[in-house]
Amino acid sequence: MKKWMFLIVSAAVLSSCSHTPKQKQLPDGVTLVESEVVQPGKIGIPFKKYRLDNGLTVILHQDDSDPLVHVDVTYHVGSDREKIGKSGFAHLFEHMMFQGSQHVADEQHFKIVTEAGGTLNGTTNSDRTNYYETVPNNQLEKMLWLESDRMGFLLPALTEKKFEVQRETVKNERAQRIDNRPYGRMSERFNQAMYPVGHPYSWPVIGWPADLNRANVDDVKAFFARWYGPNNATLTIGGDFNEKQALAWVEKYFGGIPRGPEVKPLPKTKVTLEKTHYLSMEDRVHLPLLRIGFPTVYARHQDEAPLDLLANILGGGKTSILYQNLVKNGVAVQASASHPCSELACQMTIIAVANPSKDNGDLNNIDKIVNQSITEFEKRGVSDEDLEKVKAEIKADTIFGLQSVSGKVSTLAYNETFTGEPDQTEADLKRYSSVTKADVMRVFNQYIKNKPMVVMSVVPEGKENLIAHADNFKPVLPKLPEIKAVQFKDKKITSNFDRSVIPPSGPAPIIKVPNIWRGKLANGIDVMSTVTDETPTVELVVYLNGGHRVEPVAKSGLAEITAAMMNESTQLHSNEELAQKLDLLGSSIQFDSSGYQSVIQVTSLTENLDKTLTLLNEKLFKPGFKSEDFQRIKQQILQGLKHQQTVPTYLASVGLSQLLYGKNSPLGVSSGGTIESVSKLTLADVKRYYKTFYTAANAQIIAVSNLKHDSLVEHLGGLSHWKGKATSYPKLPAPPKLKGGTIYLIDKPKAAQSVVMISDRALKYDATGDYFKASLMNYPLGGAFNSRINLNLREDKGYTYGARSGFSGGVEAGSFTASASVRTDVTAESVQEFIKELVKYQKSGMTDAELDFMRKSIAQGQALDYETPYQKAGFMRTIQRYKLADDFTKKQAQIIESISKDDLNKLASKLLNIDDMIILVVGDKDKIEPKLKKLGYPIMTL
């Protein structure tokens, strides 16, 4: 998705007229501010905007297409509101807000939402924090009670112990997402060079570890009291609900929360560089990376749109200058330009990942080509097609954004927070459609041409000779102000009702399962489709039996490289010409491959479907299979595989598959292949695979659109001429005998965390048999956020950012795995806790309370399963692939309701024998092996 769509990607229906109607029967303390209604043929999101006397902004959006509601509370506070020496507080509260409040017990927030059949999360960026839930529509009152309690009554429940545990959780998150990930520390280093000392974007959103270590519970309480008041928040509700009742609940639960301190906008001071800053970083990576940034404007500045268009021309896909000059010729495996914007500042960002097989990945050469590309743009200028492509992409992305309530709610909340106008759809369409060629050239000259920039080189450890330029920048750490101890006193808030009473659920919603139509094309290809009138769009997926499963192990990766070649040139057009045609239609065609199938995914506006399918037929039936494309794609895949060797989670995944299924089985080798197998693949192999498996008899089609079924089949007429025989899967070799109780260790020196996986072969997929029942059994153990495993390792011990367990089954095999990325210093302790939980659960099983929780959570959660075209397509594909009855979910619901605790506990006893399970650990062997030996298990190093 292009960056400029961020503000409007979720726009929903169209509206042109805003007005403030007469206020009728509103609860006391609630004022209607404005209302936007829908006019046919216009694009927008209908809404009503209210304000409570305490300053809380409330936005309501009605959408009765599915029996669900999405609730979002956005606070206008991000890391930009933090002070020097006290970074990371906003992100820390993203965690603290889920730990219970005065009337919600510890760990109950997740439990209540999950038990209601909902999903929830929170996010923090530099400018705002939001918390959200999607639940069946009978749970709205309960969500408003939860959100209001943590807005008004969090601090009385914020204890020293909770603070310490969540501080450790944040450290684990940093270790997992930053310190233990290739290039993870790049952005925070880069921003130190981009922004002046003390600028609120000069420190990372997650915070500096030293600042978090320095903080105490009174510090964070004071931060909350300053920024999390109702007058600095927007509550947005979207979905199927009674508006009058919703407003009454909003006033009841939020109206009595006192207004917080006044909040003023932060100044948008232009960021400038006196000279180009060069910096470099050695990292545990394989691929050298060059990152360049120019400071520009700020979000919604008049120059943002032309700068976005400039970024698209420079590096926005296969038609861009950077792709042509760096990727097409194999100098880089990836190159792009973007113009990400935040509230206070934007950057024009260029990223190029070098191909080490060319000049050893010398970033100085990459830098020269980037600068030559910028000069080339100046000579090339802007074409009419550049502008036309942007308009097509905006229209398409805007319409696709109508497909989910959560997307529309997020857009309304975002726009209200930063502009005071919830629906910016028309304004955004206008500001991009009005960009001229002269505008793009003007911003190029003003912000890019010959301007100082930040140039950062990230190179493999010990290869500083590959950096683009010698460093001339070292970060200057801000002088810590005198930090005075804060002694915070809670202010008692009283309510005129008993907040400790959990609101009841409303009547159970009626689940709207897609109505399925089945048919065949003239050549016998099965078609399964459903009609949705919410958007004029088509989601079409062609599934081809085969994938990695049919490859000889020695040719692993062949299905994937074949799919990649299908994304390249045809016999009639170059890849760039095809990409341009698709962009002008606002469509996409993507070939891919997985374990058991190759996939063709087509996304189109209905009005452009025929033109899109013409391009699909060309790509499918007349692939170019050009030697130069093959050599470039092969190099990209090889370099990607070498990069994956630096990713601990990848090493754990491929290592576990090999242990479970053997290195001579396709199930034991990654579908992407190995460096050895991909190196030996030839273009002849690709042509042979295409001829054998890209056949009509191997194909099945899934479609979700606003077209009637007969009309859809008519549009698909081009595929009815497809020919070819069906192919079968070769026999799998017998899996190896597992050495249960053995610890297998993969050494990853200097790893910031250890990846732990405890696993056994288990059940194949079935929809209503033991496999399905095993997933129910596992739910309290490691399937839900508030499962035993996660509460133990994350919440109680602070060992990890998240721990889980689950069954994974396919048509031929399945497995059970419990896993987590854990702190290096507690690797052995984490393994011990996993084993303890598994042994206890196998012996005693779940409790009555856990059974009740599982039933409510999974049964009610079905209301959320069929909202988007993507979800509908996935549902139909499950039926198609496993030959299920259309109403198989009814039998699942009956099982959920009637299965006994004893039956589930018998499954636990049968399937969770720790003596049969192998234990895989990826981490720094020198640091973790001594304590692992003390556990008493044999250890083998892979």
Side-chain angles (χ1 to χ4, degrees):
M1 184 176 299
K2 303 298 184 289
K3 179 263 151 204
W4 56 74
M5 296 315 317
F6 180 72
L7 294 177
I8 65 168
V9 65
S10 303
V13 198
L14 279 282
S15 114
S16 64
C17 123
S18 291
H19 60 281
T20 305
K22 294 181 180 179
Q23 301 179 22
K24 295 181 180 180
Q25 298 179 334
L26 291 178
D28 291 340
V30 179
T31 304
L32 177 61
V33 178
E34 65 174 315
S35 176
E36 184 165 287
V37 297
V38 176
Q39 298 293 336
K42 301 285 184 178
I43 301 181
I45 310 176
F47 69 88
K48 290 183 180 178
K49 175 178 167 181
Y50 300 88
R51 191 157 287 126
L52 304 192
D53 286 349
N54 60 7
L56 178 68
T57 299
V58 181
I59 300 172
L60 304 181
H61 165 67
Q62 293 280 346
D63 181 342
D64 62 1
S65 58
D66 293 280
L68 57 84
V69 290
H70 184 81
V71 178
D72 178 289
V73 179
T74 296
Y75 295 90
H76 197 168
V77 54
S79 58
D80 59 358
R81 299 286 187 178
E82 297 162 355
K83 302 298 183 184
I84 293 174
K86 294 187 176 182
S87 65
F89 283 21
H91 176 261
L92 179 62
F93 268 106
E94 182 194 317
H95 291 256
M96 297 304 306
M97 293 280 262
F98 292 102
Q99 298 310 303
S101 47
Q102 184 173 340
H103 308 100
V104 180
D106 297 355
E107 314 299 348
Q108 289 301 295
H109 194 109
F110 265 99
K111 182 178 186 297
I112 289 171
V113 177
T114 306
E115 190 173 55
T119 61
L120 70 162
N121 212 333
T123 66
T124 309
N125 64 27
S126 56
D127 307 313
R128 65 99 187 100
T129 306
N130 76 330
Y131 304 90
Y132 53 88
E133 301 87 17
T134 305
V135 292
N137 59 2
N138 64 331
Q139 304 292 333
L140 176 57
E141 183 182 8
K142 203 175 294 181
M143 299 307 105
L144 297 176
W145 168 71
L146 284 170
E147 288 291 357
S148 67
D149 210 64
R150 60 182 178 185
M151 177 184 285
F153 302 89
L154 179 79
L155 295 185
L158 204 169
T159 63
E160 183 74 32
K161 181 180 178 181
K162 287 183 182 179
F163 166 69
E164 294 293 346
V165 169
Q166 292 311 308
R167 178 161 59 180
E168 287 304 309
T169 301
V170 170
K171 291 179 184 177
N172 286 322
E173 180 180 1
R174 178 185 172 86
Q176 182 173 324
R177 293 186 170 182
I178 297 176
D179 299 329
N180 212 38
R181 178 175 292 180
Y183 314 108
R185 292 174 290 121
M186 174 179 65
S187 290
E188 60 188 30
R189 293 278 307 276
F190 188 89
N191 286 339
Q192 284 183 299
M194 175 64 70
Y195 299 106
V197 176
H199 189 284
Y201 292 170
S202 65
W203 54 78
V205 173
I206 201 169
W208 296 118
D211 290 352
L212 290 172
N213 289 334
R214 190 184 301 113
N216 60 50
V217 69
D218 282 339
D219 289 330
V220 295
K221 282 187 174 184
F223 186 83
F224 180 88
R226 174 65 184 90
W227 299 112
Y228 292 79
N231 52 304
N232 197 35
T234 298
L235 166 65
T236 309
I237 305 170
D240 184 16
F241 60 92
N242 180 285
E243 185 174 315
K244 183 178 179 180
Q245 179 62 79
L247 280 176
W249 284 334
V250 169
E251 197 287 324
K252 173 183 178 180
Y253 292 111
F254 290 89
I257 300 174
R259 188 183 187 93
E262 182 182 1
V263 177
K264 295 181 179 180
L266 290 168
K268 298 175 180 178
T269 305
K270 189 176 185 303
V271 176
T272 58
L273 296 171
E274 293 184 0
K275 65 176 183 178
T276 294
H277 290 166
Y278 297 109
L279 69 157
S280 62
M281 180 180 80
E282 294 183 34
D283 200 1
R284 296 187 296 277
V285 298
H286 168 68
L287 303 174
L289 181 150
L290 184 73
R291 177 171 175 173
I292 297 173
F294 299 85
T296 58
V297 289
Y298 52 82
R300 306 204 73 81
H301 185 281
Q302 63 182 7
D303 288 343
E304 180 188 12
L307 283 162
D308 288 345
L309 182 53
L310 172 61
N312 183 261
I313 297 170
L314 287 174
K318 293 182 177 180
T319 60
S320 69
I321 297 173
L322 289 173
Y323 182 89
Q324 292 298 309
N325 293 346
L326 284 165
V327 181
K328 185 74 173 177
N329 58 16
V331 175
V333 296
Q334 178 184 332
S336 64
S338 61
H339 185 235
C341 275
S342 297
E343 184 178 17
L344 306 181
C346 308
Q347 298 179 20
M348 178 67 72
T349 301
I350 295 172
I351 292 180
V353 181
N355 181 353
S357 69
K358 295 288 184 74
D359 302 316
N360 295 317
D362 185 359
L363 294 180
N364 183 260
N365 182 46
I366 298 284
D367 183 62
K368 289 177 181 177
I369 297 175
V370 169
N371 284 291
Q372 290 168 3
S373 299
I374 292 173
T375 301
E376 179 182 333
F377 164 77
E378 184 178 14
K379 296 177 180 178
R380 169 199 185 277
V382 185
S383 69
D384 291 332
E385 278 200 335
D386 291 330
L387 300 180
E388 185 181 351
K389 185 173 72 168
V390 170
K391 295 174 185 178
E393 289 176 336
I394 286 177
K395 178 182 177 182
D397 286 350
T398 299
I399 293 174
F400 285 117
L402 313 181
Q403 294 177 339
S404 74
V405 172
S406 62
K408 293 181 286 185
V409 165
S410 297
T411 296
L412 291 169
Y414 181 95
N415 288 333
E416 171 61 30
T417 299
F418 296 112
T419 72
E421 294 291 337
D423 182 22
Q424 291 284 331
T425 308
E426 289 187 8
D428 280 316
L429 288 170
K430 183 177 180 180
R431 70 188 180 119
Y432 283 98
S433 64
S434 62
V435 172
T436 66
K437 299 177 186 178
D439 289 332
V440 179
M441 297 309 300
R442 175 180 56 79
V443 297
F444 169 76
N445 289 315
Q446 184 173 348
Y447 302 103
I448 308 301
K449 182 181 178 181
N450 299 326
K451 296 298 187 292
M453 55 190 148
V454 176
V455 180
M456 183 176 186
S457 303
V458 183
V459 297
E461 289 180 325
K463 294 189 177 181
E464 61 179 17
N465 60 299
L466 298 179
I467 67 174
H469 300 274
D471 291 15
N472 69 353
F473 172 83
K474 289 186 178 181
V476 178
L477 298 178
K479 183 179 180 181
L480 286 179
E482 182 181 353
I483 299 177
K484 298 180 180 179
V486 175
Q487 292 184 342
F488 183 83
K489 292 184 179 181
D490 294 335
K491 294 181 180 179
K492 189 173 182 180
I493 304 173
T494 58
S495 300
N496 57 6
F497 64 96
D498 186 355
R499 281 188 172 268
S500 65
V501 177
I502 300 177
S505 302
I510 299 174
I511 308 300
K512 298 182 180 180
V513 178
N515 292 317
I516 298 173
W517 176 88
R518 287 178 171 83
K520 290 181 180 292
L521 300 186
N523 55 356
I525 295 178
D526 289 329
V527 180
M528 185 179 288
S529 70
T530 191
V531 175
T532 174
D533 294 323
E534 292 182 51
T535 56
T537 59
V538 178
E539 295 280 351
L540 181 73
V541 189
V542 182
Y543 293 95
L544 293 150
N545 289 331
H548 170 58
R549 172 65 178 83
V550 297
E551 303 168 346
V553 170
K555 294 185 182 294
S556 292
L558 177 56
E560 183 171 296
I561 199 171
T562 302
M565 286 295 292
M566 299 295 290
N567 287 317
E568 292 294 319
S569 305
T570 66
Q571 298 170 23
L572 304 180
H573 294 96
S574 70
N575 197 3
E576 295 75 25
E577 290 170 334
L578 292 166
Q580 183 81 344
K581 289 176 181 292
L582 287 168
D583 287 343
L584 290 169
L585 295 172
S587 303
S588 67
I589 299 173
Q590 184 67 34
F591 289 74
D592 207 346
S593 177
S594 61
Y596 279 80
Q597 57 199 14
S598 295
V599 181
I600 311 167
Q601 186 167 355
V602 181
T603 303
S604 173
L605 299 179
T606 305
E607 64 185 80
N608 293 331
L609 179 59
D610 285 337
K611 293 179 180 178
T612 304
L613 291 178
T614 297
L615 295 173
L616 170 65
N617 291 337
E618 179 181 332
K619 291 172 76 69
L620 179 59
F621 301 132
K622 296 182 179 181
F625 290 147
K626 296 180 180 179
S627 177
E628 58 269 28
D629 287 340
F630 176 75
Q631 295 302 327
R632 171 170 41 81
I633 293 296
K634 182 175 177 178
Q635 267 301 312
Q636 289 175 350
I637 292 175
L638 284 171
Q639 297 304 331
L641 288 169
K642 292 176 182 178
H643 165 74
Q644 292 282 57
Q645 299 296 318
T646 69
V647 182
T649 51
Y650 174 82
L651 295 175
S653 176
V654 296
L656 183 64
S657 295
Q658 183 173 319
L659 289 169
L660 290 177
Y661 302 110
K663 62 182 180 180
N664 295 320
S665 168
L667 302 186
V669 182
S670 168
S671 61
T674 66
I675 294 173
E676 180 182 8
S677 66
V678 173
S679 296
K680 296 178 181 178
L681 294 178
T682 67
L683 185 55
D685 291 327
V686 169
K687 292 178 179 179
R688 195 159 39 246
Y689 186 96
Y690 165 78
K691 184 177 181 180
T692 305
F693 297 105
Y694 279 71
T695 64
N698 278 338
Q700 294 176 306
I701 296 175
I702 295 288
V704 182
S705 72
N706 66 327
L707 294 171
K708 301 301 181 184
H709 305 299
D710 291 345
S711 176
L712 173 67
V713 171
E714 185 178 340
H715 284 285
L716 296 176
L719 295 177
S720 65
H721 305 294
W722 195 358
K723 298 179 181 179
K725 299 179 181 179
T727 50
S728 58
Y729 297 126
K731 185 179 179 180
L732 280 175
K737 179 176 176 58
L738 292 182
K739 298 179 180 179
T742 300
I743 295 177
Y744 293 89
L745 184 58
I746 298 177
D747 187 21
K748 187 69 173 66
K750 301 181 182 179
Q753 285 186 316
S754 298
V755 181
V756 175
M757 290 184 169
I758 302 176
S759 187
D760 188 12
R761 290 192 294 268
L763 303 168
K764 295 186 292 186
Y765 176 86
D766 65 61
T768 54
D770 280 353
Y771 175 83
F772 174 71
K773 295 171 184 176
S775 70
L776 305 181
M777 174 269 288
N778 174 72
Y779 198 71
L781 172 65
F785 179 87
N786 54 308
S787 66
R788 294 188 185 187
I789 287 174
N790 196 53
L791 289 183
N792 181 348
L793 274 79
R794 170 177 160 140
E795 300 300 320
D796 294 342
K797 303 294 191 305
Y799 290 170
T800 180
Y801 180 54
R804 60 195 58 82
S805 66
F807 290 85
S808 175
V811 293
E812 295 180 302
S815 62
F816 168 82
T817 305
S819 63
S821 293
V822 302
R823 283 173 20 215
T824 297
D825 64 314
V826 291
T827 301
E829 292 87 341
S830 299
V831 171
Q832 199 166 27
E833 291 302 319
F834 264 122
I835 293 172
K836 183 183 77 173
E837 293 292 350
L838 290 169
V839 169
K840 181 178 179 182
Y841 202 74
Q842 188 212 16
K843 181 179 180 181
S844 303
M846 67 176 65
T847 65
D848 289 333
E850 288 174 327
L851 175 66
D852 184 58
F853 166 74
M854 179 275 293
R855 282 180 172 158
K856 290 177 180 178
S857 175
I858 297 179
Q860 295 183 122
Q862 291 179 326
L864 280 60
D865 287 347
Y866 315 108
E867 181 190 9
T868 67
Y870 179 80
Q871 289 174 300
K872 292 180 174 71
F875 170 71
M876 290 192 295
R877 178 55 181 167
T878 299
I879 292 174
Q880 186 184 65
R881 185 179 186 190
Y882 295 105
K883 299 179 175 60
L884 305 177
D886 290 1
D887 63 349
F888 79 94
T889 55
K890 289 184 179 180
K891 187 171 182 181
Q892 287 184 335
Q894 293 171 356
I895 294 171
I896 294 168
E897 181 61 31
S898 62
I899 194 167
S900 70
K901 184 180 70 172
D902 287 344
D903 286 340
L904 292 173
N905 289 345
K906 286 178 182 177
L907 275 174
S909 178
K910 176 183 177 181
L911 299 174
L912 299 179
N913 187 350
I914 191 65
D915 293 334
D916 294 337
M917 296 183 188
I918 57 174
I919 303 165
L920 176 65
V921 181
V922 179
D924 191 323
K925 180 179 179 180
D926 290 342
K927 293 181 179 179
I928 64 178
E929 188 174 31
K931 290 172 72 174
L932 286 173
K933 287 181 177 179
K934 295 180 180 179
L935 297 180
Y937 296 97
I939 297 178
M940 296 182 64
T941 300
L942 299 182

